[in-house]
Amino acid sequence: MSDRPGPEATARLTRWEQRTEVPLFVAGLLFLTGYAVRVLAPHDAQPWHDISLALVWSTWLLFLADYVTRLRLSGLRSRFPRVHWLDTAVLLLPLLRPLRMVQVYQAVQRRHDRPRLDLYARVMAYAGMTAVLLGFAASLAVYHLEHRAPGASIRTFGDAVWWACATLTTVGYGDATPVTFWGRVVAAGLMACGLALLGAVTGSFSSWLIQVFAREDEKRPPERG
Amino acid sequence: MSDRPGPEATARLTRWEQRTEVPLFVAGLLFLTGYAVRVLAPHDAQPWHDISLALVWSTWLLFLADYVTRLRLSGLRSRFPRVHWLDTAVLLLPLLRPLRMVQVYQAVQRRHDRPRLDLYARVMAYAGMTAVLLGFAASLAVYHLEHRAPGASIRTFGDAVWWACATLTTVGYGDATPVTFWGRVVAAGLMACGLALLGAVTGSFSSWLIQVFAREDEKRPPERG
Amino acid sequence: MSDRPGPEATARLTRWEQRTEVPLFVAGLLFLTGYAVRVLAPHDAQPWHDISLALVWSTWLLFLADYVTRLRLSGLRSRFPRVHWLDTAVLLLPLLRPLRMVQVYQAVQRRHDRPRLDLYARVMAYAGMTAVLLGFAASLAVYHLEHRAPGASIRTFGDAVWWACATLTTVGYGDATPVTFWGRVVAAGLMACGLALLGAVTGSFSSWLIQVFAREDEKRPPERG
Amino acid sequence: MSDRPGPEATARLTRWEQRTEVPLFVAGLLFLTGYAVRVLAPHDAQPWHDISLALVWSTWLLFLADYVTRLRLSGLRSRFPRVHWLDTAVLLLPLLRPLRMVQVYQAVQRRHDRPRLDLYARVMAYAGMTAVLLGFAASLAVYHLEHRAPGASIRTFGDAVWWACATLTTVGYGDATPVTFWGRVVAAGLMACGLALLGAVTGSFSSWLIQVFAREDEKRPPERG
């Protein structure tokens, strides 16, 4: 939040970020697709395995190149990882990339003159989409980590998606739960992020509904009897 | 949100919607009743089976007729399904019809001079009723899909209602959970809608309570000692 | 909300309610105590059984007398049960009496010159206390209904209290759940009320915390460097 | 809230509290470390056992000394435990010490000229950190109380942390739940505190997100077409 670089460096960095945001988001979706193919394809399906590996590594190298470019443009040197800690985390754990979606969203909005949606609808759309993408990434990771564990209750990808739905909405039936250490770490991360995101969806929906009902009162002539 | 038709088409559409909203809501209740009879009646009870089938199909044809009329009145042609996507979804999945209740509510309100209830009470009433109707529809669907599945924990309609209560409130005990693919799809839909609706109920109740306590302060003379 | 009686009837009714609110609340606590003794005492403990029966019936007769007096004072006759539907429900199901606590709270506040607590603290205190009382009443009722049912997981009063905690907070572990029809009806009621009340506690706490942190900013001199 | 002492006593007490807050917080962390070593070290590891016992008791004696000093400085005598009931509870149950973090936070803030974080970010940081510390303390206590109980599902410290995550976020899978009386008491406390704290995190995140999206609208030129 402090340790800000000079205005020129900031301007260069902003220009770079505006130009690369959407391509990087597409790369993020490709990364997720590659990881999904890697996890879901049968283990002896050689071509798919190679394609997925190529996708995952090439997109990750793209992320690394972007990170290094921004580190050099920013002029922050060794303080960059500390100041841009979310970017550093997203580089190391590319499955967290959906968390950067608010920037993508802003980059897309900038090209339109006005927002096409109401404030609350935008918050709902952003938080809901991020939650869905994070839930999908967590389903893949948990399926990957769990499906061969002894005593696992998440044995198919369908189970993993079902588990992610029940976790994100905090319903938590408990019929499918991770049992390995890393599966539980992923689950704890999903709970923390999902709770905040779903809270934002719920809060915005509630505010939007109250707004709709309040507006309706104003349209009505105040006294008619 | 964009792609709006001309003012005449909008006026004609609005008049049609105001006139048909309440009859369509009654048709929606009849559809739900028909579906309930279809699902809950014993399978060899011939008269009930026929009655329910007639109810379900005739009300659905009514929905189709309404949809086609609105498509033609709107002058939007092939863009209609995209612009009115919620209506299209409700036509294809009539069990989602409770989601249109806000329009019914407005149509009913329009005939009174002023709302009879406080803003927050209206939001609570609307969101709560929609949640109850959706929960009932989901109970029927899940009971239908699950009660003969091998290894099912939802075997009676009572179990399905109990499951819907625990899911809508996000308690999620896990003593009754869907095990089939389509049962879980219905459950995920109920979680997503229910979470938002119950969040609206909770948020409005909280705001209403704070308003009640704040108003009480104002009535009190500020300094008396 | 409408169908209000004349101003004289309202004044008489208000006076009666102000005078009887606190005694009736004490009677409500006695009722709860009597019911607790009835449910928790061993079944062959004759004196306790008689005392509890006497307490439950005498307090209920008090509630009935109050209801009849208010019905007559109000001048509403047969419309009274419809207008005062919450009071009617509370008469028939005295375990719901905690829901009337907001009136008790106001009656107590009226005797002090100013509220001793902050707005949000008052909402939290009211909603929290109501939730605790409702949870206790529901624990008693569920223990009563469940502890002898075949296949029950709620076998001791401790289990019932543990179940009520997990239900009110929507955690819902599922290690103790009602299995009988009436047990599940009580549980569904607790979920619905508890969700709204706990939402009020959470919402007020959140607003209070934001207020505390915002006030701290104001106390600080805006520019010092 | 009332029963306040004279202005001199208050000033002396405030000075004492400002000076001791940060050392006491460090002592609280040492207490937690000591308790963690005590609970997690193997039972025959003599040096660790002695070290942890020394840490726990010496830090607790520090808390006691602080409490007695404040009791004497305040000039409240026997009314002190009632007026400062949270401090009394924290003295008797030092695992609740994270609840005092708001004071530590204010003491740290006082040394900076301005807060370095946005209002909502501060509320999120405070509530989130308190929730994490309380969750860690509850994990230790529940592991301590449960891991040798017959029929326990929390057998390792990892299970206890997993249980605390699922409880704090109200997911509540139910694959790991306390079975002893005291374990359930700790769990109920965690549910109550965690619910309020996590509600504050969610509420602030939601408000912050709405603020971010609203600010973005303002930056945009209102009419460009």
Side-chain angles (χ1 to χ4, degrees), chain A residues 163-188:
Chain A
W163 162 82
C165 286
T167 301
L168 272 175
T169 55
T170 78
V171 169
Y173 291 122
D175 54 348
T177 48
V179 293
T180 62
F181 177 74
W182 287 108
R184 287 182 170 181
V185 168
V186 171

Short mmCIF file of all heavy atoms in Angstrom, two decimals, chain A residues 163-188:
data_model
loop_
_atom_site.label_atom_id
_atom_site.label_comp_id
_atom_site.label_asym_id
_atom_site.label_seq_id
_atom_site.Cartn_x
_atom_site.Cartn_y
_atom_site.Cartn_z
N TRP A 163 -19.03 -31.76 -3.80
CA TRP A 163 -18.38 -31.31 -2.56
C TRP A 163 -18.14 -29.80 -2.60
O TRP A 163 -18.37 -29.10 -1.62
CB TRP A 163 -17.06 -32.07 -2.36
CG TRP A 163 -16.16 -31.40 -1.39
CD1 TRP A 163 -16.22 -31.47 -0.04
CD2 TRP A 163 -15.10 -30.49 -1.70
NE1 TRP A 163 -15.26 -30.67 0.51
CE2 TRP A 163 -14.55 -30.06 -0.50
CE3 TRP A 163 -14.56 -30.00 -2.90
CZ2 TRP A 163 -13.49 -29.17 -0.44
CZ3 TRP A 163 -13.51 -29.11 -2.85
CH2 TRP A 163 -12.98 -28.70 -1.63
N ALA A 164 -17.66 -29.29 -3.77
CA ALA A 164 -17.36 -27.87 -3.88
C ALA A 164 -18.63 -27.03 -3.73
O ALA A 164 -18.62 -25.98 -3.07
CB ALA A 164 -16.67 -27.57 -5.21
N CYS A 165 -19.75 -27.49 -4.33
CA CYS A 165 -21.03 -26.77 -4.17
C CYS A 165 -21.42 -26.70 -2.70
O CYS A 165 -21.77 -25.64 -2.18
CB CYS A 165 -22.16 -27.49 -4.92
SG CYS A 165 -22.09 -27.29 -6.69
N ALA A 166 -21.39 -27.86 -2.03
CA ALA A 166 -21.81 -27.91 -0.63
C ALA A 166 -20.88 -27.08 0.26
O ALA A 166 -21.31 -26.53 1.27
CB ALA A 166 -21.86 -29.35 -0.14
N THR A 167 -19.61 -26.95 -0.13
CA THR A 167 -18.66 -26.19 0.69
C THR A 167 -18.82 -24.69 0.46
O THR A 167 -18.85 -23.91 1.41
CB THR A 167 -17.22 -26.62 0.35
OG1 THR A 167 -17.11 -28.01 0.62
CG2 THR A 167 -16.21 -25.86 1.17
N LEU A 168 -18.92 -24.28 -0.82
CA LEU A 168 -19.03 -22.85 -1.13
C LEU A 168 -20.28 -22.24 -0.51
O LEU A 168 -20.25 -21.09 -0.06
CB LEU A 168 -19.09 -22.64 -2.65
CG LEU A 168 -17.77 -22.51 -3.37
CD1 LEU A 168 -17.99 -22.44 -4.84
CD2 LEU A 168 -17.05 -21.24 -2.90
N THR A 169 -21.38 -23.00 -0.50
CA THR A 169 -22.62 -22.46 0.06
C THR A 169 -22.68 -22.68 1.57
O THR A 169 -23.70 -22.35 2.18
CB THR A 169 -23.84 -23.12 -0.59
OG1 THR A 169 -23.70 -24.54 -0.44
CG2 THR A 169 -23.91 -22.81 -2.07
N THR A 170 -21.63 -23.24 2.17
CA THR A 170 -21.54 -23.56 3.61
C THR A 170 -22.63 -24.53 4.06
O THR A 170 -22.92 -24.60 5.26
CB THR A 170 -21.56 -22.32 4.52
OG1 THR A 170 -22.89 -21.84 4.65
CG2 THR A 170 -20.65 -21.23 4.05
N VAL A 171 -23.23 -25.27 3.12
CA VAL A 171 -24.19 -26.28 3.54
C VAL A 171 -23.44 -27.42 4.25
O VAL A 171 -23.79 -27.81 5.36
CB VAL A 171 -25.01 -26.79 2.34
CG1 VAL A 171 -25.82 -28.01 2.72
CG2 VAL A 171 -25.93 -25.70 1.84
N GLY A 172 -22.42 -27.96 3.59
CA GLY A 172 -21.55 -28.95 4.24
C GLY A 172 -22.25 -30.19 4.70
O GLY A 172 -22.28 -30.48 5.89
N TYR A 173 -22.82 -30.98 3.76
CA TYR A 173 -23.49 -32.21 4.17
C TYR A 173 -22.54 -33.19 4.86
O TYR A 173 -22.92 -33.90 5.78
CB TYR A 173 -24.07 -32.92 2.95
CG TYR A 173 -25.21 -32.20 2.30
CD1 TYR A 173 -25.15 -31.83 0.98
CD2 TYR A 173 -26.36 -31.93 3.01
CE1 TYR A 173 -26.21 -31.19 0.37
CE2 TYR A 173 -27.42 -31.29 2.40
CZ TYR A 173 -27.34 -30.92 1.08
OH TYR A 173 -28.39 -30.29 0.49
N GLY A 174 -21.30 -33.27 4.35
CA GLY A 174 -20.36 -34.22 4.93
C GLY A 174 -20.41 -35.59 4.28
O GLY A 174 -19.74 -36.50 4.75
N ASP A 175 -21.20 -35.77 3.18
CA ASP A 175 -21.19 -37.08 2.51
C ASP A 175 -19.95 -37.22 1.62
O ASP A 175 -19.57 -38.33 1.27
CB ASP A 175 -22.47 -37.31 1.70
CG ASP A 175 -22.75 -36.18 0.74
OD1 ASP A 175 -22.09 -35.12 0.84
OD2 ASP A 175 -23.64 -36.33 -0.11
N ALA A 176 -19.32 -36.12 1.26
CA ALA A 176 -18.06 -36.16 0.52
C ALA A 176 -17.14 -35.12 1.15
O ALA A 176 -17.46 -33.93 1.12
CB ALA A 176 -18.31 -35.84 -0.97
N THR A 177 -16.05 -35.56 1.76
CA THR A 177 -15.12 -34.65 2.41
C THR A 177 -13.69 -35.09 2.12
O THR A 177 -13.44 -36.29 2.02
CB THR A 177 -15.30 -34.64 3.95
OG1 THR A 177 -15.35 -35.98 4.39
CG2 THR A 177 -16.52 -33.91 4.37
N PRO A 178 -12.76 -34.14 2.00
CA PRO A 178 -11.37 -34.54 1.79
C PRO A 178 -10.81 -35.23 3.04
O PRO A 178 -11.18 -34.86 4.17
CB PRO A 178 -10.66 -33.22 1.51
CG PRO A 178 -11.56 -32.17 2.02
CD PRO A 178 -12.94 -32.69 1.97
N VAL A 179 -9.93 -36.19 2.82
CA VAL A 179 -9.32 -36.90 3.96
C VAL A 179 -7.81 -36.75 4.00
O VAL A 179 -7.20 -37.03 5.02
CB VAL A 179 -9.68 -38.41 3.94
CG1 VAL A 179 -11.16 -38.62 4.18
CG2 VAL A 179 -9.25 -39.07 2.65
N THR A 180 -7.18 -36.29 2.89
CA THR A 180 -5.72 -36.14 2.90
C THR A 180 -5.34 -34.75 3.40
O THR A 180 -6.18 -33.83 3.40
CB THR A 180 -5.15 -36.31 1.48
OG1 THR A 180 -5.69 -35.27 0.66
CG2 THR A 180 -5.54 -37.65 0.88
N PHE A 181 -4.07 -34.59 3.78
CA PHE A 181 -3.63 -33.30 4.31
C PHE A 181 -3.81 -32.19 3.27
O PHE A 181 -4.42 -31.16 3.55
CB PHE A 181 -2.16 -33.40 4.74
CG PHE A 181 -1.61 -32.10 5.22
CD1 PHE A 181 -1.98 -31.61 6.46
CD2 PHE A 181 -0.76 -31.34 4.44
CE1 PHE A 181 -1.49 -30.40 6.91
CE2 PHE A 181 -0.27 -30.13 4.88
CZ PHE A 181 -0.64 -29.66 6.12
N TRP A 182 -3.27 -32.41 2.04
CA TRP A 182 -3.32 -31.33 1.05
C TRP A 182 -4.75 -31.09 0.56
O TRP A 182 -5.12 -29.94 0.26
CB TRP A 182 -2.38 -31.61 -0.11
CG TRP A 182 -0.96 -31.42 0.32
CD1 TRP A 182 -0.03 -32.39 0.54
CD2 TRP A 182 -0.34 -30.17 0.65
NE1 TRP A 182 1.14 -31.82 0.98
CE2 TRP A 182 0.99 -30.47 1.06
CE3 TRP A 182 -0.76 -28.84 0.66
CZ2 TRP A 182 1.87 -29.48 1.46
CZ3 TRP A 182 0.12 -27.86 1.05
CH2 TRP A 182 1.42 -28.18 1.45
N GLY A 183 -5.54 -32.15 0.50
CA GLY A 183 -6.95 -31.96 0.15
C GLY A 183 -7.64 -31.04 1.14
O GLY A 183 -8.42 -30.16 0.76
N ARG A 184 -7.31 -31.20 2.43
CA ARG A 184 -7.93 -30.36 3.45
C ARG A 184 -7.40 -28.93 3.40
O ARG A 184 -8.15 -27.99 3.70
CB ARG A 184 -7.69 -30.97 4.84
CG ARG A 184 -8.53 -32.21 5.05
CD ARG A 184 -8.34 -32.81 6.41
NE ARG A 184 -9.33 -33.86 6.64
CZ ARG A 184 -9.42 -34.56 7.77
NH1 ARG A 184 -8.59 -34.31 8.77
NH2 ARG A 184 -10.34 -35.47 7.91
N VAL A 185 -6.13 -28.76 3.01
CA VAL A 185 -5.59 -27.41 2.87
C VAL A 185 -6.35 -26.67 1.75
O VAL A 185 -6.77 -25.52 1.91
CB VAL A 185 -4.07 -27.46 2.58
CG1 VAL A 185 -3.55 -26.09 2.15
CG2 VAL A 185 -3.33 -27.94 3.81
N VAL A 186 -6.53 -27.37 0.59
CA VAL A 186 -7.30 -26.77 -0.51
C VAL A 186 -8.70 -26.43 -0.04
O VAL A 186 -9.24 -25.34 -0.31
CB VAL A 186 -7.34 -27.72 -1.72
CG1 VAL A 186 -8.30 -27.20 -2.78
CG2 VAL A 186 -5.95 -27.89 -2.31
N ALA A 187 -9.32 -27.35 0.71
CA ALA A 187 -10.68 -27.14 1.20
C ALA A 187 -10.76 -25.92 2.10
O ALA A 187 -11.69 -25.11 1.99
CB ALA A 187 -11.16 -28.39 1.94
N ALA A 188 -9.77 -25.77 3.01
CA ALA A 188 -9.78 -24.63 3.92
C ALA A 188 -9.67 -23.33 3.13
O ALA A 188 -10.34 -22.34 3.43
CB ALA A 188 -8.65 -24.75 4.93
#
